[in-house]
Amino acid sequence: MSKSIAVNAGSSTLKFKLFDMPSEEVVAEGTIERIGEKMGHAKIKYGDGQKHEEEQPFVDHGAAIKYLLDQLIALGIVKSYDEITAVGHRVVAGGEYFKDSAVINDDVIEKINSLAEYAPLHDPAELVGIKAFRKALPNAFAIAVFDTSFHANMPKMNALYSIPYEWYEKYGARKYGAHGTSHRYVAAQAAKMLNKPLEDLKLITLHIGAGASITAIKNGKSFDTSMGFTPLAGITMATRSGDVDPSLVAFVEEKTGKTSAEIIDDLNHKSGLLGISELSPDMRDILDAADKGNEKAQLALDIYVNRIKRYIGAYIAEMDGADAIVFTAGVGENSAPVRKLVTDNMDYLGIKIDQEKNQCHGVQRDLSAPDAKVKTLLIPTNEELMIVRDIERLKKEQAN
Ligand SMILES: Nc1ncnc2c1ncn2[C@@H]1O[C@H](COP(=O)(O)OP(=O)(O)O)[C@@H](O)[C@H]1O
Ligand SMILES: CC(=O)OP(=O)(O)O
Ligand SMILES: [Mg+2]
């Protein structure tokens, strides 16, 4: 038996799962949250029900990675790094280059480095993880699994913007999307739950966490997705604006004297739920405050829900219908109130949930009302499992 680790760096989190392979049994897992904020939080589960929890600041992803590597030994999860024979890293942007997961070598690292502009909040942090693990585990089989791969062959009709064609040809200006590993996983699970071949289904997968994206999946393939050239586009997120008129950048530049790079940074870090509510990026805080009558929190919630509804409507129209919508990621998995608000008044489109079944979190469940024409499913995502499965696949491909 050997161990494989999946390392998943998000915009403000670092998640990992250590698997015994090939059994796919999880032997340790953890999350480091609020990286870059004043106080961070680390939670690791391991052994038979042991838990390690700690509050401390993590200045950046480098600090979080170091902490993870140290804790693997300190908590006795492994006696030596040699026990971990394979590592899979989540990388958000693979550009036009990486249409599938890749075995990491110097050339791949160089390519990921050159793609940093395509996911400025993610790729640089993920490279830090790749390099740190390479140093600590020099003999491990290491791969990169790209969020964008699932969307790489999206129909051109949806991947291209209505902009001068040569921007696409010369510079690769197109929609790349993100969260593909998650959309791919929940789509496969949805097919199992519905007991139908994935190839026969039209699905709308709602990955709503701190970063959030919605994908239209037709015949098992990404047909359209809400994130764009970078993960800034689409629906309202914790701190990201989602879709805005690009003219705003020049307008705000003129008004404030900020550079376009600073404004894009504001759209990434100071917008979304945080920007509108002027309170918090965290949906739990927004729901609490809205409940207590805070008007800006209520407005942030209304805008958030509205944008999700807008994309559901658009994707039902684009695919000529849908068999199911799927809720996943931090908000989608844990917030019954948000799931209710999103699906309220959608009977016209055939979407209707059973309010009692909806009272749950973090479990796989069909939430549909008996007379719903479009099923509503709750499916906790598992990007890490997809990552270690790709390790096995690439190992076999390399051996052949
Ligand atoms: N019970 C809950 N109700 C509402 N939102 C929640 C709940 N639990 C977690 N969240 C939200 O989930 C988000 C984190 O989701 P996650 O998918 O882990 O994010 P990411 O991978 O983008 O860092 C947080 O911003 C938090 O607001
Ligand atoms: C692409 C993206 O937004 O990722 P995350 O949700 O992990 O920040
Ligand atoms: Mg995530």
Side-chain angles (χ1 to χ4, degrees), residues 8 10-13 15 31 33 90 179 207-212 238 240 273 281-284 287 328-338 361 381 383:
N8 177 352
S11 41
S12 67
T13 56
K15 298 179 188 165
T31 310
E33 286 179 314
R90 173 199 186 199
H179 296 137
H207 177 108
I208 47 178
R240 282 172 250 171
L273 292 176
D282 196 302
M283 181 53 86
R284 290 165 283 202
L287 286 166
T328 194
V331 180
E333 289 168 26
N334 296 305
S335 182
V338 171
H361 61 92
T381 194
E383 291 160 296

PDB file of all heavy atoms in Angstrom, residues 8 10-13 15 31 33 90 179 207-212 238 240 273 281-284 287 328-338 361 381 383, ligand 1:
ATOM      1  N   ASN A   8      -4.945  21.090  -2.494  1.00  0.00           N
ATOM      2  CA  ASN A   8      -5.918  21.953  -3.174  1.00  0.00           C
ATOM      3  C   ASN A   8      -5.827  23.372  -2.626  1.00  0.00           C
ATOM      4  O   ASN A   8      -6.349  23.680  -1.559  1.00  0.00           O
ATOM      5  CB  ASN A   8      -7.318  21.353  -2.943  1.00  0.00           C
ATOM      6  CG  ASN A   8      -8.448  22.194  -3.527  1.00  0.00           C
ATOM      7  OD1 ASN A   8      -8.239  23.315  -3.992  1.00  0.00           O
ATOM      8  ND2 ASN A   8      -9.656  21.644  -3.501  1.00  0.00           N
ATOM      9  N   GLY A  10      -6.960  27.024  -2.714  1.00  0.00           N
ATOM     10  CA  GLY A  10      -7.996  27.938  -3.190  1.00  0.00           C
ATOM     11  C   GLY A  10      -7.499  29.360  -3.006  1.00  0.00           C
ATOM     12  O   GLY A  10      -6.336  29.581  -2.662  1.00  0.00           O
ATOM     13  N   SER A  11      -8.379  30.328  -3.216  1.00  0.00           N
ATOM     14  CA  SER A  11      -7.938  31.722  -3.123  1.00  0.00           C
ATOM     15  C   SER A  11      -7.534  32.079  -1.700  1.00  0.00           C
ATOM     16  O   SER A  11      -6.590  32.827  -1.481  1.00  0.00           O
ATOM     17  CB  SER A  11      -9.022  32.655  -3.636  1.00  0.00           C
ATOM     18  OG  SER A  11     -10.290  32.244  -3.205  1.00  0.00           O
ATOM     19  N   SER A  12      -8.247  31.539  -0.699  1.00  0.00           N
ATOM     20  CA  SER A  12      -7.915  31.893   0.685  1.00  0.00           C
ATOM     21  C   SER A  12      -7.753  30.660   1.568  1.00  0.00           C
ATOM     22  O   SER A  12      -7.642  30.770   2.772  1.00  0.00           O
ATOM     23  CB  SER A  12      -9.019  32.780   1.266  1.00  0.00           C
ATOM     24  OG  SER A  12     -10.200  32.017   1.378  1.00  0.00           O
ATOM     25  N   THR A  13      -7.759  29.491   0.938  1.00  0.00           N
ATOM     26  CA  THR A  13      -7.682  28.256   1.722  1.00  0.00           C
ATOM     27  C   THR A  13      -6.626  27.317   1.150  1.00  0.00           C
ATOM     28  O   THR A  13      -6.221  27.446  -0.005  1.00  0.00           O
ATOM     29  CB  THR A  13      -9.025  27.484   1.684  1.00  0.00           C
ATOM     30  OG1 THR A  13      -9.374  27.232   0.328  1.00  0.00           O
ATOM     31  CG2 THR A  13     -10.143  28.241   2.356  1.00  0.00           C
ATOM     32  N   LYS A  15      -6.465  23.118   1.181  1.00  0.00           N
ATOM     33  CA  LYS A  15      -7.084  21.874   1.645  1.00  0.00           C
ATOM     34  C   LYS A  15      -6.200  20.717   1.209  1.00  0.00           C
ATOM     35  O   LYS A  15      -5.534  20.802   0.178  1.00  0.00           O
ATOM     36  CB  LYS A  15      -8.470  21.704   1.014  1.00  0.00           C
ATOM     37  CG  LYS A  15      -9.427  22.814   1.413  1.00  0.00           C
ATOM     38  CD  LYS A  15     -10.790  22.673   0.766  1.00  0.00           C
ATOM     39  CE  LYS A  15     -11.609  23.917   1.069  1.00  0.00           C
ATOM     40  NZ  LYS A  15     -12.784  24.087   0.244  1.00  0.00           N
ATOM     41  N   THR A  31      -7.937  21.441   6.450  1.00  0.00           N
ATOM     42  CA  THR A  31      -8.123  22.732   5.779  1.00  0.00           C
ATOM     43  C   THR A  31      -7.421  23.813   6.580  1.00  0.00           C
ATOM     44  O   THR A  31      -7.519  23.845   7.809  1.00  0.00           O
ATOM     45  CB  THR A  31      -9.633  23.117   5.743  1.00  0.00           C
ATOM     46  OG1 THR A  31     -10.363  22.011   5.249  1.00  0.00           O
ATOM     47  CG2 THR A  31      -9.886  24.316   4.856  1.00  0.00           C
ATOM     48  N   GLU A  33      -7.674  27.790   6.711  1.00  0.00           N
ATOM     49  CA  GLU A  33      -8.566  28.837   6.209  1.00  0.00           C
ATOM     50  C   GLU A  33      -8.036  30.220   6.545  1.00  0.00           C
ATOM     51  O   GLU A  33      -7.251  30.372   7.463  1.00  0.00           O
ATOM     52  CB  GLU A  33      -9.942  28.723   6.877  1.00  0.00           C
ATOM     53  CG  GLU A  33     -10.777  27.575   6.380  1.00  0.00           C
ATOM     54  CD  GLU A  33     -12.119  27.521   7.101  1.00  0.00           C
ATOM     55  OE1 GLU A  33     -12.145  27.642   8.340  1.00  0.00           O
ATOM     56  OE2 GLU A  33     -13.126  27.373   6.416  1.00  0.00           O
ATOM     57  N   ARG A  90      -3.771  20.783  -7.240  1.00  0.00           N
ATOM     58  CA  ARG A  90      -4.761  21.507  -8.017  1.00  0.00           C
ATOM     59  C   ARG A  90      -4.093  22.764  -8.568  1.00  0.00           C
ATOM     60  O   ARG A  90      -3.390  23.465  -7.842  1.00  0.00           O
ATOM     61  CB  ARG A  90      -5.913  21.925  -7.106  1.00  0.00           C
ATOM     62  CG  ARG A  90      -6.882  22.832  -7.812  1.00  0.00           C
ATOM     63  CD  ARG A  90      -7.727  23.596  -6.837  1.00  0.00           C
ATOM     64  NE  ARG A  90      -8.734  24.357  -7.533  1.00  0.00           N
ATOM     65  CZ  ARG A  90      -9.366  25.378  -6.989  1.00  0.00           C
ATOM     66  NH1 ARG A  90      -9.129  25.738  -5.756  1.00  0.00           N
ATOM     67  NH2 ARG A  90     -10.270  26.043  -7.677  1.00  0.00           N
ATOM     68  N   HIS A 179     -12.938  25.587 -11.630  1.00  0.00           N
ATOM     69  CA  HIS A 179     -13.632  24.595 -10.805  1.00  0.00           C
ATOM     70  C   HIS A 179     -14.012  23.344 -11.597  1.00  0.00           C
ATOM     71  O   HIS A 179     -14.917  22.598 -11.211  1.00  0.00           O
ATOM     72  CB  HIS A 179     -14.933  25.172 -10.196  1.00  0.00           C
ATOM     73  CG  HIS A 179     -14.715  26.306  -9.244  1.00  0.00           C
ATOM     74  ND1 HIS A 179     -15.495  27.441  -9.258  1.00  0.00           N
ATOM     75  CD2 HIS A 179     -13.824  26.480  -8.251  1.00  0.00           C
ATOM     76  CE1 HIS A 179     -15.085  28.274  -8.308  1.00  0.00           C
ATOM     77  NE2 HIS A 179     -14.069  27.712  -7.684  1.00  0.00           N
ATOM     78  N   HIS A 207     -21.340  25.409  -8.330  1.00  0.00           N
ATOM     79  CA  HIS A 207     -20.233  25.329  -7.357  1.00  0.00           C
ATOM     80  C   HIS A 207     -20.178  26.689  -6.679  1.00  0.00           C
ATOM     81  O   HIS A 207     -19.643  27.659  -7.218  1.00  0.00           O
ATOM     82  CB  HIS A 207     -18.916  25.014  -8.083  1.00  0.00           C
ATOM     83  CG  HIS A 207     -17.729  24.989  -7.170  1.00  0.00           C
ATOM     84  ND1 HIS A 207     -17.064  23.837  -6.809  1.00  0.00           N
ATOM     85  CD2 HIS A 207     -17.089  25.988  -6.510  1.00  0.00           C
ATOM     86  CE1 HIS A 207     -16.077  24.119  -5.986  1.00  0.00           C
ATOM     87  NE2 HIS A 207     -16.062  25.434  -5.788  1.00  0.00           N
ATOM     88  N   ILE A 208     -20.807  26.787  -5.486  1.00  0.00           N
ATOM     89  CA  ILE A 208     -20.816  28.095  -4.820  1.00  0.00           C
ATOM     90  C   ILE A 208     -20.102  28.023  -3.470  1.00  0.00           C
ATOM     91  O   ILE A 208     -20.622  27.556  -2.474  1.00  0.00           O
ATOM     92  CB  ILE A 208     -22.246  28.707  -4.745  1.00  0.00           C
ATOM     93  CG1 ILE A 208     -23.293  27.719  -4.252  1.00  0.00           C
ATOM     94  CG2 ILE A 208     -22.662  29.213  -6.100  1.00  0.00           C
ATOM     95  CD1 ILE A 208     -24.706  28.338  -4.120  1.00  0.00           C
ATOM     96  N   GLY A 209     -18.843  28.473  -3.507  1.00  0.00           N
ATOM     97  CA  GLY A 209     -18.015  28.565  -2.300  1.00  0.00           C
ATOM     98  C   GLY A 209     -17.589  30.014  -2.170  1.00  0.00           C
ATOM     99  O   GLY A 209     -18.362  30.908  -2.496  1.00  0.00           O
ATOM    100  N   ALA A 210     -16.343  30.251  -1.714  1.00  0.00           N
ATOM    101  CA  ALA A 210     -15.831  31.620  -1.699  1.00  0.00           C
ATOM    102  C   ALA A 210     -15.668  32.082  -3.143  1.00  0.00           C
ATOM    103  O   ALA A 210     -16.120  33.152  -3.542  1.00  0.00           O
ATOM    104  CB  ALA A 210     -14.517  31.678  -0.955  1.00  0.00           C
ATOM    105  N   GLY A 211     -15.021  31.226  -3.952  1.00  0.00           N
ATOM    106  CA  GLY A 211     -15.069  31.389  -5.402  1.00  0.00           C
ATOM    107  C   GLY A 211     -16.277  30.600  -5.864  1.00  0.00           C
ATOM    108  O   GLY A 211     -16.618  29.585  -5.259  1.00  0.00           O
ATOM    109  N   ALA A 212     -16.940  31.052  -6.923  1.00  0.00           N
ATOM    110  CA  ALA A 212     -18.169  30.356  -7.317  1.00  0.00           C
ATOM    111  C   ALA A 212     -18.329  30.367  -8.830  1.00  0.00           C
ATOM    112  O   ALA A 212     -18.033  31.363  -9.488  1.00  0.00           O
ATOM    113  CB  ALA A 212     -19.368  31.030  -6.658  1.00  0.00           C
ATOM    114  N   ALA A 238     -17.593  35.752  -2.816  1.00  0.00           N
ATOM    115  CA  ALA A 238     -17.304  36.297  -1.484  1.00  0.00           C
ATOM    116  C   ALA A 238     -16.697  37.704  -1.605  1.00  0.00           C
ATOM    117  O   ALA A 238     -17.187  38.662  -1.016  1.00  0.00           O
ATOM    118  CB  ALA A 238     -16.370  35.369  -0.726  1.00  0.00           C
ATOM    119  N   ARG A 240     -15.308  38.647  -4.945  1.00  0.00           N
ATOM    120  CA  ARG A 240     -15.183  38.952  -6.380  1.00  0.00           C
ATOM    121  C   ARG A 240     -16.503  39.446  -6.947  1.00  0.00           C
ATOM    122  O   ARG A 240     -17.563  38.941  -6.588  1.00  0.00           O
ATOM    123  CB  ARG A 240     -14.729  37.706  -7.146  1.00  0.00           C
ATOM    124  CG  ARG A 240     -13.238  37.431  -7.012  1.00  0.00           C
ATOM    125  CD  ARG A 240     -12.857  36.089  -7.609  1.00  0.00           C
ATOM    126  NE  ARG A 240     -12.496  35.146  -6.563  1.00  0.00           N
ATOM    127  CZ  ARG A 240     -12.277  33.851  -6.766  1.00  0.00           C
ATOM    128  NH1 ARG A 240     -12.401  33.339  -7.967  1.00  0.00           N
ATOM    129  NH2 ARG A 240     -11.951  33.068  -5.757  1.00  0.00           N
ATOM    130  N   LEU A 273     -19.850  39.903  -2.055  1.00  0.00           N
ATOM    131  CA  LEU A 273     -20.605  40.043  -0.794  1.00  0.00           C
ATOM    132  C   LEU A 273     -19.969  41.100   0.104  1.00  0.00           C
ATOM    133  O   LEU A 273     -20.660  41.934   0.698  1.00  0.00           O
ATOM    134  CB  LEU A 273     -20.650  38.711  -0.046  1.00  0.00           C
ATOM    135  CG  LEU A 273     -21.466  37.573  -0.663  1.00  0.00           C
ATOM    136  CD1 LEU A 273     -21.309  36.300   0.167  1.00  0.00           C
ATOM    137  CD2 LEU A 273     -22.944  37.952  -0.786  1.00  0.00           C
ATOM    138  N   PRO A 281     -17.163  38.909   3.835  1.00  0.00           N
ATOM    139  CA  PRO A 281     -17.232  38.084   2.620  1.00  0.00           C
ATOM    140  C   PRO A 281     -17.940  36.752   2.885  1.00  0.00           C
ATOM    141  O   PRO A 281     -18.183  35.976   1.968  1.00  0.00           O
ATOM    142  CB  PRO A 281     -15.750  37.831   2.310  1.00  0.00           C
ATOM    143  CG  PRO A 281     -15.067  37.877   3.639  1.00  0.00           C
ATOM    144  CD  PRO A 281     -15.848  38.831   4.500  1.00  0.00           C
ATOM    145  N   ASP A 282     -18.226  36.480   4.152  1.00  0.00           N
ATOM    146  CA  ASP A 282     -18.707  35.163   4.545  1.00  0.00           C
ATOM    147  C   ASP A 282     -20.236  35.111   4.557  1.00  0.00           C
ATOM    148  O   ASP A 282     -20.881  35.895   5.245  1.00  0.00           O
ATOM    149  CB  ASP A 282     -18.165  34.823   5.944  1.00  0.00           C
ATOM    150  CG  ASP A 282     -18.288  33.349   6.240  1.00  0.00           C
ATOM    151  OD1 ASP A 282     -19.430  32.813   6.195  1.00  0.00           O
ATOM    152  OD2 ASP A 282     -17.260  32.717   6.501  1.00  0.00           O
ATOM    153  N   MET A 283     -20.802  34.175   3.794  1.00  0.00           N
ATOM    154  CA  MET A 283     -22.254  34.079   3.666  1.00  0.00           C
ATOM    155  C   MET A 283     -22.943  33.888   5.021  1.00  0.00           C
ATOM    156  O   MET A 283     -24.063  34.358   5.226  1.00  0.00           O
ATOM    157  CB  MET A 283     -22.615  32.942   2.694  1.00  0.00           C
ATOM    158  CG  MET A 283     -24.090  32.761   2.469  1.00  0.00           C
ATOM    159  SD  MET A 283     -24.943  34.286   1.976  1.00  0.00           S
ATOM    160  CE  MET A 283     -24.717  34.270   0.215  1.00  0.00           C
ATOM    161  N   ARG A 284     -22.268  33.230   5.970  1.00  0.00           N
ATOM    162  CA  ARG A 284     -22.887  33.046   7.293  1.00  0.00           C
ATOM    163  C   ARG A 284     -23.151  34.390   7.953  1.00  0.00           C
ATOM    164  O   ARG A 284     -24.227  34.629   8.517  1.00  0.00           O
ATOM    165  CB  ARG A 284     -21.985  32.188   8.195  1.00  0.00           C
ATOM    166  CG  ARG A 284     -21.943  30.745   7.750  1.00  0.00           C
ATOM    167  CD  ARG A 284     -20.810  30.001   8.380  1.00  0.00           C
ATOM    168  NE  ARG A 284     -19.540  30.324   7.739  1.00  0.00           N
ATOM    169  CZ  ARG A 284     -18.449  29.567   7.770  1.00  0.00           C
ATOM    170  NH1 ARG A 284     -18.463  28.437   8.436  1.00  0.00           N
ATOM    171  NH2 ARG A 284     -17.357  29.905   7.141  1.00  0.00           N
ATOM    172  N   LEU A 287     -26.049  36.275   6.083  1.00  0.00           N
ATOM    173  CA  LEU A 287     -27.384  35.766   6.431  1.00  0.00           C
ATOM    174  C   LEU A 287     -27.807  36.250   7.816  1.00  0.00           C
ATOM    175  O   LEU A 287     -28.943  36.695   8.010  1.00  0.00           O
ATOM    176  CB  LEU A 287     -27.390  34.230   6.383  1.00  0.00           C
ATOM    177  CG  LEU A 287     -27.363  33.596   4.985  1.00  0.00           C
ATOM    178  CD1 LEU A 287     -27.014  32.113   5.074  1.00  0.00           C
ATOM    179  CD2 LEU A 287     -28.690  33.776   4.255  1.00  0.00           C
ATOM    180  N   THR A 328     -23.273  22.525  -4.845  1.00  0.00           N
ATOM    181  CA  THR A 328     -22.059  22.018  -4.205  1.00  0.00           C
ATOM    182  C   THR A 328     -21.173  23.167  -3.715  1.00  0.00           C
ATOM    183  O   THR A 328     -21.481  24.334  -3.945  1.00  0.00           O
ATOM    184  CB  THR A 328     -21.281  21.077  -5.151  1.00  0.00           C
ATOM    185  OG1 THR A 328     -20.307  20.353  -4.384  1.00  0.00           O
ATOM    186  CG2 THR A 328     -20.558  21.837  -6.258  1.00  0.00           C
ATOM    187  N   ALA A 329     -20.080  22.833  -3.013  1.00  0.00           N
ATOM    188  CA  ALA A 329     -19.074  23.759  -2.410  1.00  0.00           C
ATOM    189  C   ALA A 329     -19.648  24.442  -1.155  1.00  0.00           C
ATOM    190  O   ALA A 329     -20.824  24.243  -0.822  1.00  0.00           O
ATOM    191  CB  ALA A 329     -18.564  24.768  -3.411  1.00  0.00           C
ATOM    192  N   GLY A 330     -18.787  25.217  -0.479  1.00  0.00           N
ATOM    193  CA  GLY A 330     -19.066  25.756   0.853  1.00  0.00           C
ATOM    194  C   GLY A 330     -20.485  26.244   1.102  1.00  0.00           C
ATOM    195  O   GLY A 330     -21.145  25.788   2.041  1.00  0.00           O
ATOM    196  N   VAL A 331     -20.974  27.156   0.264  1.00  0.00           N
ATOM    197  CA  VAL A 331     -22.322  27.693   0.465  1.00  0.00           C
ATOM    198  C   VAL A 331     -23.368  26.677  -0.001  1.00  0.00           C
ATOM    199  O   VAL A 331     -24.337  26.391   0.710  1.00  0.00           O
ATOM    200  CB  VAL A 331     -22.510  29.033  -0.287  1.00  0.00           C
ATOM    201  CG1 VAL A 331     -23.907  29.586  -0.064  1.00  0.00           C
ATOM    202  CG2 VAL A 331     -21.447  30.052   0.128  1.00  0.00           C
ATOM    203  N   GLY A 332     -23.160  26.109  -1.179  1.00  0.00           N
ATOM    204  CA  GLY A 332     -24.130  25.165  -1.746  1.00  0.00           C
ATOM    205  C   GLY A 332     -24.342  23.931  -0.881  1.00  0.00           C
ATOM    206  O   GLY A 332     -25.458  23.428  -0.751  1.00  0.00           O
ATOM    207  N   GLU A 333     -23.269  23.465  -0.240  1.00  0.00           N
ATOM    208  CA  GLU A 333     -23.376  22.253   0.583  1.00  0.00           C
ATOM    209  C   GLU A 333     -23.972  22.541   1.956  1.00  0.00           C
ATOM    210  O   GLU A 333     -24.632  21.693   2.545  1.00  0.00           O
ATOM    211  CB  GLU A 333     -21.985  21.617   0.786  1.00  0.00           C
ATOM    212  CG  GLU A 333     -21.444  20.990  -0.477  1.00  0.00           C
ATOM    213  CD  GLU A 333     -19.968  20.617  -0.370  1.00  0.00           C
ATOM    214  OE1 GLU A 333     -19.478  20.385   0.755  1.00  0.00           O
ATOM    215  OE2 GLU A 333     -19.307  20.563  -1.419  1.00  0.00           O
ATOM    216  N   ASN A 334     -23.697  23.754   2.471  1.00  0.00           N
ATOM    217  CA  ASN A 334     -24.011  24.020   3.879  1.00  0.00           C
ATOM    218  C   ASN A 334     -25.177  24.944   4.158  1.00  0.00           C
ATOM    219  O   ASN A 334     -25.647  25.017   5.291  1.00  0.00           O
ATOM    220  CB  ASN A 334     -22.768  24.588   4.580  1.00  0.00           C
ATOM    221  CG  ASN A 334     -21.644  23.574   4.596  1.00  0.00           C
ATOM    222  OD1 ASN A 334     -21.837  22.453   5.063  1.00  0.00           O
ATOM    223  ND2 ASN A 334     -20.503  23.935   4.062  1.00  0.00           N
ATOM    224  N   SER A 335     -25.627  25.691   3.151  1.00  0.00           N
ATOM    225  CA  SER A 335     -26.650  26.690   3.453  1.00  0.00           C
ATOM    226  C   SER A 335     -28.027  26.349   2.887  1.00  0.00           C
ATOM    227  O   SER A 335     -28.314  26.606   1.702  1.00  0.00           O
ATOM    228  CB  SER A 335     -26.207  28.066   2.948  1.00  0.00           C
ATOM    229  OG  SER A 335     -27.185  29.008   3.293  1.00  0.00           O
ATOM    230  N   ALA A 336     -28.883  25.793   3.741  1.00  0.00           N
ATOM    231  CA  ALA A 336     -30.271  25.520   3.338  1.00  0.00           C
ATOM    232  C   ALA A 336     -30.990  26.823   2.955  1.00  0.00           C
ATOM    233  O   ALA A 336     -31.728  26.851   1.964  1.00  0.00           O
ATOM    234  CB  ALA A 336     -31.010  24.784   4.458  1.00  0.00           C
ATOM    235  N   PRO A 337     -30.778  27.938   3.702  1.00  0.00           N
ATOM    236  CA  PRO A 337     -31.465  29.182   3.314  1.00  0.00           C
ATOM    237  C   PRO A 337     -31.103  29.662   1.908  1.00  0.00           C
ATOM    238  O   PRO A 337     -31.981  30.099   1.161  1.00  0.00           O
ATOM    239  CB  PRO A 337     -30.995  30.205   4.360  1.00  0.00           C
ATOM    240  CG  PRO A 337     -30.497  29.418   5.509  1.00  0.00           C
ATOM    241  CD  PRO A 337     -30.035  28.102   4.973  1.00  0.00           C
ATOM    242  N   VAL A 338     -29.823  29.558   1.531  1.00  0.00           N
ATOM    243  CA  VAL A 338     -29.446  30.004   0.181  1.00  0.00           C
ATOM    244  C   VAL A 338     -30.060  29.072  -0.871  1.00  0.00           C
ATOM    245  O   VAL A 338     -30.589  29.526  -1.885  1.00  0.00           O
ATOM    246  CB  VAL A 338     -27.910  30.110   0.024  1.00  0.00           C
ATOM    247  CG1 VAL A 338     -27.520  30.346  -1.432  1.00  0.00           C
ATOM    248  CG2 VAL A 338     -27.357  31.227   0.902  1.00  0.00           C
ATOM    249  N   HIS A 361     -27.087  19.458   5.715  1.00  0.00           N
ATOM    250  CA  HIS A 361     -25.873  20.004   5.099  1.00  0.00           C
ATOM    251  C   HIS A 361     -24.809  18.925   4.980  1.00  0.00           C
ATOM    252  O   HIS A 361     -24.758  17.977   5.772  1.00  0.00           O
ATOM    253  CB  HIS A 361     -25.355  21.218   5.874  1.00  0.00           C
ATOM    254  CG  HIS A 361     -24.978  20.915   7.290  1.00  0.00           C
ATOM    255  ND1 HIS A 361     -23.711  20.556   7.643  1.00  0.00           N
ATOM    256  CD2 HIS A 361     -25.718  20.892   8.418  1.00  0.00           C
ATOM    257  CE1 HIS A 361     -23.682  20.343   8.940  1.00  0.00           C
ATOM    258  NE2 HIS A 361     -24.898  20.528   9.441  1.00  0.00           N
ATOM    259  N   THR A 381     -18.787  18.198  -2.960  1.00  0.00           N
ATOM    260  CA  THR A 381     -17.755  17.990  -3.974  1.00  0.00           C
ATOM    261  C   THR A 381     -16.578  17.201  -3.408  1.00  0.00           C
ATOM    262  O   THR A 381     -16.456  17.047  -2.180  1.00  0.00           O
ATOM    263  CB  THR A 381     -17.282  19.330  -4.578  1.00  0.00           C
ATOM    264  OG1 THR A 381     -16.546  19.049  -5.764  1.00  0.00           O
ATOM    265  CG2 THR A 381     -16.417  20.137  -3.610  1.00  0.00           C
ATOM    266  N   GLU A 383     -12.913  17.300  -4.937  1.00  0.00           N
ATOM    267  CA  GLU A 383     -11.869  17.560  -5.932  1.00  0.00           C
ATOM    268  C   GLU A 383     -10.650  16.684  -5.653  1.00  0.00           C
ATOM    269  O   GLU A 383      -9.969  16.228  -6.579  1.00  0.00           O
ATOM    270  CB  GLU A 383     -11.467  19.053  -5.873  1.00  0.00           C
ATOM    271  CG  GLU A 383     -12.561  19.994  -6.368  1.00  0.00           C
ATOM    272  CD  GLU A 383     -12.392  21.429  -5.887  1.00  0.00           C
ATOM    273  OE1 GLU A 383     -12.459  21.666  -4.663  1.00  0.00           O
ATOM    274  OE2 GLU A 383     -12.215  22.325  -6.720  1.00  0.00           O
TER     275      GLU A 383
HETATM  276  N1  LIG B   1     -23.215  27.040   6.968  1.00  0.00           N
HETATM  277  C1  LIG B   1     -22.856  27.889   6.001  1.00  0.00           C
HETATM  278  N2  LIG B   1     -23.739  28.780   5.522  1.00  0.00           N
HETATM  279  C2  LIG B   1     -23.400  29.644   4.560  1.00  0.00           C
HETATM  280  N3  LIG B   1     -22.179  29.691   3.997  1.00  0.00           N
HETATM  281  C3  LIG B   1     -21.250  28.829   4.425  1.00  0.00           C
HETATM  282  C4  LIG B   1     -21.536  27.881   5.448  1.00  0.00           C
HETATM  283  N4  LIG B   1     -20.412  27.151   5.674  1.00  0.00           N
HETATM  284  C5  LIG B   1     -19.471  27.634   4.824  1.00  0.00           C
HETATM  285  N5  LIG B   1     -19.964  28.645   4.073  1.00  0.00           N
HETATM  286  C6  LIG B   1     -19.272  29.441   3.046  1.00  0.00           C
HETATM  287  O1  LIG B   1     -18.437  28.640   2.256  1.00  0.00           O
HETATM  288  C7  LIG B   1     -17.320  29.430   1.798  1.00  0.00           C
HETATM  289  C8  LIG B   1     -16.127  28.513   1.609  1.00  0.00           C
HETATM  290  O2  LIG B   1     -16.433  27.596   0.603  1.00  0.00           O
HETATM  291  P1  LIG B   1     -15.327  26.693  -0.074  1.00  0.00           P
HETATM  292  O3  LIG B   1     -15.971  25.926  -1.151  1.00  0.00           O
HETATM  293  O4  LIG B   1     -14.603  25.952   0.975  1.00  0.00           O
HETATM  294  O5  LIG B   1     -14.425  27.867  -0.676  1.00  0.00           O
HETATM  295  P2  LIG B   1     -13.087  27.990  -1.514  1.00  0.00           P
HETATM  296  O6  LIG B   1     -12.709  26.615  -1.988  1.00  0.00           O
HETATM  297  O7  LIG B   1     -13.501  28.884  -2.615  1.00  0.00           O
HETATM  298  O8  LIG B   1     -12.076  28.614  -0.612  1.00  0.00           O
HETATM  299  C9  LIG B   1     -17.098  30.493   2.862  1.00  0.00           C
HETATM  300  O9  LIG B   1     -16.943  31.733   2.224  1.00  0.00           O
HETATM  301  C10 LIG B   1     -18.376  30.485   3.678  1.00  0.00           C
HETATM  302  O10 LIG B   1     -19.020  31.717   3.540  1.00  0.00           O
END
